[in-house]
Amino acid sequence: MNQHLSPTIAASSMELSAEMAAENVVEFTDLPVKRQREDEENGVSKTVSTLPNETQPLGISAVIPGWFSEISPMWPGEAHSLKVEKILFQGKSDYQNVMVFQSSTYGKVLVLDGVIQLTERDECAYQEMITHLPLCSIPNPKKVLVIGGGDGGVLREVSRHSSVEKIDICEIDKMVVDVSKEFFPDIAVGFEDPRVTLHVGDGVAFLKAAPEGTYDAIIVDSSDPIGPAQELFEKPFFESVAKALRPGGVVCTQAESIWLHMHIIEDIVANCRQIFKGSVNYAWTTVPTYPSGMIGFMLCSTEGPHVDFKHPVNPIDEDDSQQSARPLKFYNSEIHTAAFCLPSFAKRAIGSKAN
Amino acid sequence: MNQHLSPTIAASSMELSAEMAAENVVEFTDLPVKRQREDEENGVSKTVSTLPNETQPLGISAVIPGWFSEISPMWPGEAHSLKVEKILFQGKSDYQNVMVFQSSTYGKVLVLDGVIQLTERDECAYQEMITHLPLCSIPNPKKVLVIGGGDGGVLREVSRHSSVEKIDICEIDKMVVDVSKEFFPDIAVGFEDPRVTLHVGDGVAFLKAAPEGTYDAIIVDSSDPIGPAQELFEKPFFESVAKALRPGGVVCTQAESIWLHMHIIEDIVANCRQIFKGSVNYAWTTVPTYPSGMIGFMLCSTEGPHVDFKHPVNPIDEDDSQQSARPLKFYNSEIHTAAFCLPSFAKRAIGSKAN
């Protein structure tokens, strides 16, 4: 792996002196330079850029001494912080900064470019919902593609579906896969399924090259639309997705928070309405360690057999799941249906864009 | 009002020097002394107690310089922070520390004992759900009691129900009412309804003195069970609530987060199962500025006409609401029903305690 490890540091606010603490104060703004410049021109980002240097732990945003703080122009004026017990890994891949730390109350935490991707304590909500919302909405899914999702959590969930015969995953950043296998065995376990084929590369290119009508379901487990995942929120990408799906096939993409990014969501919905001639729905779930404490999903189907996302036709039997080695922690058929019920402010905004 | 105002400070991490920043670092642990001692004996709180002094802004927890950070033994190891534009009010009532600040992206924020009670940006979710979940579940509510809720937001929501003839509110802390009227006119507007009678005093005593079978609905809008609201989570209080309700009357209480406080919730559910002989249900909603990004509600009914909380019989017509001066922002009948769908881990825990 192309990485450089820092010495493990025991980071506790009680142990650090005030001087050390002051040195530790970095606002995490090392976004890709081009994007940052755009933001500044648009007046989006007004934070002072303090890029990490060699003595500064790479990729950590320790604004509170001994804590990790998630500060980003994507959610200005607020930050969620987790207390750090120990930094387990830091590296810089060709695409992003990668960090793993042991938190004091959320288990191990995976951070990409300063943004929390998952914690052991609440990853179940995201992984189970982004996977089973689409897969439980169609009968007998057989071929599934995962774009992103290099931690393996979505694969782990896809594996629960016995009808599935082939699972392709295209992750751009090999370091994410390697780090997950080393530090998150209960998540990377998804890679052990013999139905899985890992393709390391660009998801956009992979989809363009995919034969038309190949997949029953595509799951886009991306990071936010700043950085390497930017293209995954744009129209040409959705067009490739639609092409690679069979008629009546389904896609589920990470689609931000209705509290924070309604304008991004409205754009995604408008794009999807144009491209997907079947169903187009928005759903959401609670994830405490994501900004605003929730995350949304865009669920669409191509022209063909009708897909009613709100009423799962392919339920995972909860009793079966309970008896398995890894019972479902979060997903069930009731919360599947509930996930599509939106607060009035979101319903109005998404509804109006959809027409 | 029994208060002392601090000079307004322009609090920006860019403007404060490192030295000033260091002085500003206070872990907010000034819980009532008795409770804090108990916590320490139980090994719950291991943070260092640094009580505010006269030079330190009272009640502020500025762990990130220029930001408000919510640190509490109720949610160890994590903190949500909001950037502070200006502190508008600080006071110490007979019961708690009261603070109002202008945040940079969440509007004005009300803080009690270091814990965010509401922000202008997301208060709609909590106020609308805690009010309409119970009131839309029974036909023609006439007499309503609010315990706590001194900001007036619940009153504002109760006012939407034209069947209601009498609204009593019992708030222990007059300072909360006065501060809300001064800084949150769009929330305190609830007090202007002529059906409202404000009783300043102890909710527990008020309920004990209430004639049996008085209310159709009781809404308990309390802070967390550390500090003045502690008794509102205990069995004798629920017994008083049941007594004060008419047969088939309903109560809705703030009931913490399934991600953080499942043990508290299990106890509340077990108590309620014993006391309320009608329906006992748990619901939740998203609130970005509450710990873990969500909050739960306990909904119970007394013996008498059956109440099916999951299917509102008394819907608020959304078109009516849209045409009114203050349309509903969050609540609708779909999200009412969805609020009762729980993630599997919570369903199992709450289900097992309920039997």
Side-chain angles (χ1 to χ4, degrees):
Chain A
M1 286 190 293
N2 172 25
Q3 69 198 46
H4 48 109
L5 286 156
S6 78
T8 293
I9 63 163
S12 150
S13 59
M14 298 303 124
E15 290 163 26
L16 290 175
S17 71
E19 244 174 78
M20 286 169 72
E23 272 175 25
N24 230 11
V25 173
V26 174
E27 293 217 352
F28 192 89
T29 54
D30 51 344
L31 308 172
V33 174
K34 176 171 164 283
R35 181 73 191 186
Q36 192 176 346
R37 214 170 283 144
E38 278 171 20
D39 287 344
E40 279 164 8
E41 280 163 14
N42 298 334
V44 172
S45 168
K46 300 205 169 176
T47 51
V48 171
S49 177
T50 316
L51 292 172
N53 55 39
E54 286 307 306
T55 60
Q56 174 66 35
L58 184 72
I60 195 169
S61 161
V63 177
I64 308 183
W67 292 59
F68 168 84
S69 290
E70 196 184 55
I71 295 183
S72 164
M74 283 282 290
W75 40 90
E78 68 178 311
H80 191 244
S81 304
L82 293 177
K83 194 166 186 186
V84 177
E85 292 287 324
K86 202 174 181 175
I87 293 174
L88 301 172
F89 176 84
Q90 298 174 78
K92 192 169 170 56
S93 74
D94 292 343
Y95 302 97
Q96 54 203 345
N97 293 309
V98 179
M99 181 174 64
V100 178
F101 68 87
Q102 179 70 47
S103 70
S104 65
T105 56
Y106 274 81
K108 288 199 280 285
V109 182
L110 174 65
V111 179
L112 300 180
D113 277 350
V115 177
I116 293 173
Q117 301 300 307
L118 61 84
T119 81
E120 288 180 314
R121 182 159 151 196
D122 65 1
E123 54 95 12
C124 61
Y126 176 77
Q127 319 271 23
E128 293 184 17
M129 292 298 274
I130 198 172
T131 306
H132 303 307
L133 286 176
L135 293 190
C136 293
S137 295
I138 53 172
N140 296 308
K142 288 184 179 158
K143 291 187 184 170
V144 179
L145 170 63
V146 180
I147 301 287
D151 55 67
V154 170
L155 299 176
R156 179 191 67 196
E157 296 306 316
V158 175
S159 292
R160 296 184 192 272
H161 290 262
S162 54
S163 66
V164 171
E165 294 165 0
K166 182 177 169 55
I167 312 171
D168 284 323
I169 174 168
C170 184
E171 162 64 51
I172 200 167
D173 195 344
K174 178 79 162 27
M175 190 184 282
V176 174
V177 178
D178 293 334
V179 159
S180 185
K181 286 181 176 172
E182 188 170 348
F183 296 102
F184 299 92
D186 291 341
I187 297 170
V189 66
F191 286 103
E192 291 171 18
D193 190 305
R195 295 169 291 180
V196 169
T197 308
L198 169 63
H199 310 262
V200 174
D202 177 20
V204 176
F206 185 88
L207 266 170
K208 271 187 194 150
E212 207 165 318
T214 303
Y215 295 103
D216 299 288
I218 297 176
I219 297 166
V220 186
D221 174 15
S222 70
S223 46
D224 294 315
I226 324 188
Q230 193 176 335
E231 280 188 88
L232 305 186
F233 290 79
E234 290 166 4
K235 209 164 160 180
F237 176 73
F238 287 117
E239 282 164 348
S240 302
V241 167
K243 199 177 72 40
L245 284 172
R246 67 154 167 86
V250 293
V251 60
C252 180
T253 75
Q254 189 271 92
E256 302 299 327
S257 161
I258 53 171
W259 286 108
L260 298 174
H261 301 120
M262 193 55 93
H263 58 293
I264 297 178
I265 295 167
E266 287 177 50
D267 287 350
I268 296 175
V269 172
N271 285 341
C272 288
R273 278 271 168 214
Q274 284 179 31
I275 293 162
F276 294 95
K277 303 301 182 192
S279 304
V280 174
N281 288 104
Y282 191 84
W284 62 279
T285 195
T286 159
V287 183
T289 56
Y290 284 170
S292 83
M294 63 137 69
I295 190 89
F297 307 104
M298 195 75 228
L299 286 129
C300 308
S301 68
T302 52
E303 201 168 6
H306 177 65
V307 177
D308 178 0
F309 282 114
K310 299 181 185 179
H311 299 98
V313 294
N314 181 30
I316 296 189
D317 191 304
E318 215 175 330
D319 293 334
D320 287 354
S321 155
Q322 278 276 58
Q323 282 158 17
S324 86
R326 297 177 187 275
L328 286 166
K329 290 180 187 168
F330 194 93
Y331 177 89
N332 55 59
S333 293
E334 283 170 37
I335 212 151
H336 177 125
T337 298
F340 292 89
C341 299
L342 302 179
S344 298
F345 73 86
K347 217 170 139 181
R348 291 196 282 263
I350 291 174
S352 70
K353 270 287 169 196
N355 294 329
Chain B
M1 288 190 291
N2 173 26
Q3 69 197 46
H4 50 110
L5 286 156
S6 78
T8 293
I9 64 165
S12 149
S13 58
M14 298 305 124
E15 291 163 25
L16 290 174
S17 71
E19 242 175 79
M20 287 168 72
E23 270 175 27
N24 230 11
V25 174
V26 174
E27 293 219 351
F28 192 88
T29 54
D30 50 343
L31 307 172
V33 175
K34 177 172 163 280
R35 182 72 191 186
Q36 192 177 344
R37 213 168 286 145
E38 278 170 21
D39 287 345
E40 280 165 6
E41 280 165 13
N42 297 335
V44 172
S45 168
K46 299 202 171 178
T47 51
V48 173
S49 178
T50 316
L51 292 171
N53 54 39
E54 286 309 304
T55 59
Q56 173 67 39
L58 185 73
I60 196 169
S61 161
V63 177
I64 307 182
W67 293 57
F68 168 84
S69 291
E70 195 183 56
I71 295 184
S72 162
M74 282 283 288
W75 40 90
E78 67 178 312
H80 191 245
S81 302
L82 293 176
K83 194 166 186 187
V84 176
E85 292 287 324
K86 200 173 183 177
I87 293 174
L88 301 172
F89 176 83
Q90 299 175 78
K92 193 170 169 54
S93 74
D94 290 344
Y95 302 97
Q96 54 204 343
N97 293 310
V98 180
M99 181 172 67
V100 178
F101 68 87
Q102 179 71 48
S103 70
S104 64
T105 55
Y106 274 81
K108 288 200 281 286
V109 182
L110 174 65
V111 179
L112 300 179
D113 277 350
V115 177
I116 292 172
Q117 301 299 306
L118 61 85
T119 81
E120 288 180 315
R121 183 160 152 197
D122 65 359
E123 56 95 14
C124 62
Y126 177 77
Q127 319 272 22
E128 293 184 18
M129 291 298 273
I130 198 173
T131 305
H132 303 305
L133 286 177
L135 293 190
C136 293
S137 295
I138 52 171
N140 296 307
K142 288 184 179 157
K143 291 187 184 168
V144 179
L145 170 62
V146 180
I147 301 287
D151 54 68
V154 171
L155 299 176
R156 179 191 68 198
E157 296 306 317
V158 174
S159 292
R160 296 184 193 272
H161 291 264
S162 54
S163 66
V164 170
E165 295 165 359
K166 183 179 169 55
I167 311 170
D168 284 323
I169 174 167
C170 185
E171 162 63 53
I172 201 167
D173 195 344
K174 178 79 163 26
M175 190 184 282
V176 174
V177 178
D178 293 336
V179 160
S180 185
K181 286 181 177 174
E182 189 169 347
F183 296 101
F184 299 92
D186 291 341
I187 296 170
V189 66
F191 285 103
E192 289 170 20
D193 190 304
R195 295 169 290 180
V196 170
T197 308
L198 169 62
H199 309 262
V200 175
D202 176 21
V204 176
F206 185 89
L207 266 171
K208 269 187 194 151
E212 207 165 317
T214 303
Y215 296 103
D216 297 289
I218 297 176
I219 297 166
V220 186
D221 174 15
S222 70
S223 46
D224 293 316
I226 323 186
Q230 192 178 336
E231 280 187 88
L232 305 185
F233 290 79
E234 291 167 2
K235 209 164 162 181
F237 175 73
F238 286 117
E239 282 164 348
S240 302
V241 167
K243 198 175 74 42
L245 285 171
R246 68 155 167 85
V250 292
V251 60
C252 180
T253 75
Q254 187 272 94
E256 303 297 329
S257 162
I258 53 172
W259 286 108
L260 298 174
H261 301 120
M262 193 54 93
H263 57 293
I264 297 177
I265 295 167
E266 286 177 52
D267 286 351
I268 297 175
V269 171
N271 285 340
C272 287
R273 277 271 166 214
Q274 283 179 31
I275 292 163
F276 293 95
K277 301 302 181 191
S279 303
V280 174
N281 288 105
Y282 191 84
W284 63 279
T285 195
T286 158
V287 183
T289 56
Y290 284 170
S292 83
M294 63 136 70
I295 190 88
F297 307 105
M298 194 75 229
L299 287 129
C300 308
S301 68
T302 52
E303 201 167 6
H306 177 64
V307 177
D308 178 0
F309 283 113
K310 299 181 185 179
H311 300 98
V313 294
N314 181 31
I316 295 188
D317 191 304
E318 217 176 328
D319 294 334
D320 288 353
S321 155
Q322 278 275 58
Q323 282 158 18
S324 85
R326 297 176 187 276
L328 286 167
K329 291 180 186 167
F330 194 93
Y331 178 88
N332 55 58
S333 293
E334 282 169 38
I335 212 153
H336 177 125
T337 298
F340 292 89
C341 299
L342 302 179
S344 298
F345 73 86
K347 217 169 140 181
R348 290 196 281 264
I350 290 174
S352 69
K353 270 287 170 197
N355 295 329

